[in-house]
Amino acid sequence: MRALVVLGTLLAILPACAQSQSSSAQEPIRITRSGTQPPQPAPADHFTGSARVDFPFQASAPARISGARVLFEPGARTAWHVHPLGQTLIVTAGTGRVQRWGDPVDEIRQGDVIWIPPGQKHWHGAAPNSSMTHIAITEQIDGKTVDWMEKVSDAQYGAPLRGQTAGTDTGPRPRPSQGAIGDFAPKLAQITDDVLYGDIWERPELSKRDRSLATVAALIALNRPDQLRSHLRIARQNGLTQEELIETITHLAFYAGWPNAVSAIGVAKEVFGQR
């Protein structure tokens, strides 16, 4: 008799299971093409500085995971916030910062994966002199993925990194041209730093990432390996990936000439080999 009851129960369940599996089997794979979802400005209520965000995928029941790609310009960061089920960050370009409430600030770089446990008050964003892009993956519970709090103050953002002390970096950093030519041509170094790096590079109409891309392209076309060497390093700091820079050289081979591209690849191999 017990066997008959079990068999009857299974026969009652099987049609529902078959219907569920059939429904899932009919749902197609979805592909969101690159560039079809342009980033939008991040909400000023929850971010400081210039940041852009897009949502390549959202939670679709029964799944509850959603993702966002966030592009931070130098100095930009989130407000303090918590995630009820935690968050994973995958840094895809540049250099950034992350901090849990009560802990020192940690530096994060391209390729790093950061896990923020549930309920931990924290913030994350770009480094002062570098843009940063990350993919943020969160789970929702009762329709909620985040609770926003107060903004991160300049003092909190500028606190020493983990392992540093307040006195480690108190002196002014050498300006870009001073270290290269300051001893030999101080006036040229001063003009370069004041006008080029102090004014042109700081204009908000282009991000530093875009300015690096334009500069690198011009130096490849002009076949200026010495200047290209330093600007490839700056480009990495400003959020351009090694793959993007190699593709730039490949593209310019057809516009600036094959010898220029081959010379640029040699410089790039040297620079990237020093990472």
Side-chain angles (χ1 to χ4, degrees):
M1 179 63 71
R2 180 176 300 174
L4 290 175
V5 172
V6 171
L7 179 60
T9 303
L10 288 174
L11 290 173
I13 292 174
L14 281 174
C17 292
Q19 184 178 2
S20 175
Q21 291 175 357
S22 175
S23 175
S24 298
Q26 295 303 315
E27 185 174 351
I29 292 175
R30 287 177 290 175
I31 301 174
T32 303
R33 298 295 181 187
S34 176
T36 59
Q37 294 180 317
Q40 301 298 317
D45 289 346
H46 307 315
F47 288 77
T48 298
S50 177
R52 292 165 288 163
V53 60
D54 71 84
F55 296 93
F57 61 93
Q58 296 296 300
S60 179
R64 59 184 185 181
I65 294 178
S66 60
R69 183 185 297 108
V70 189
L71 301 86
F72 297 88
E73 295 299 333
R77 66 268 192 184
T78 69
W80 291 99
H81 59 287
V82 300
H83 299 283
L85 293 179
Q87 182 182 55
T88 297
L89 304 177
I90 304 171
V91 182
T92 59
T95 303
R97 302 282 189 267
V98 65
Q99 182 184 22
R100 186 181 73 158
W101 183 264
D103 285 353
V105 181
D106 284 300
E107 183 174 81
I108 53 178
R109 293 182 172 273
Q110 180 183 356
D112 290 348
V113 178
I114 301 94
W115 162 244
I116 296 137
Q120 299 280 356
K121 182 176 178 179
H122 70 286
W123 66 268
H124 38 95
N129 298 311
S130 172
S131 60
M132 189 270 288
T133 302
H134 68 46
I135 295 172
I137 302 171
T138 55
E139 291 187 84
Q140 66 175 356
I141 182 169
D142 298 327
K144 178 182 288 188
T145 61
V146 60
D147 286 308
W148 290 104
M149 301 175 179
E150 74 275 15
K151 288 193 173 184
V152 177
S153 69
D154 290 343
Q156 290 171 329
Y157 175 75
L161 296 176
R162 186 185 298 273
Q164 290 182 344
T165 62
T168 300
D169 196 26
T170 55
R173 294 184 178 181
R175 304 180 73 185
S177 297
Q178 290 298 321
I181 60 173
D183 292 340
F184 189 73
K187 187 60 179 179
L188 178 58
Q190 177 193 342
I191 294 170
T192 302
D193 288 334
D194 290 346
V195 178
L196 177 59
Y197 292 111
D199 182 11
I200 299 300
W201 274 82
E202 296 300 327
R203 289 168 60 82
E205 287 79 7
L206 283 177
S207 69
K208 287 189 177 181
R209 182 185 187 280
D210 291 342
R211 290 187 186 278
S212 275
L213 185 59
T215 303
V216 165
L219 294 173
I220 294 169
L222 293 169
N223 198 9
R224 299 290 191 268
D226 290 338
Q227 289 75 27
L228 178 61
R229 186 174 289 104
S230 62
H231 275 283
L232 284 174
R233 297 189 184 99
I234 293 171
R236 293 300 307 279
Q237 294 171 3
N238 287 339
L240 285 161
T241 67
Q242 176 176 319
E243 291 74 19
E244 288 172 328
L245 291 167
I246 292 173
E247 185 62 24
T248 299
I249 297 171
T250 303
H251 185 77
L252 283 169
F254 294 90
Y255 292 91
W258 208 266
N260 290 3
V262 172
S263 296
I265 284 293
V267 174
K269 285 179 64 178
E270 174 191 334
V271 171
F272 299 150
Q274 293 176 355
R275 290 188 303 140

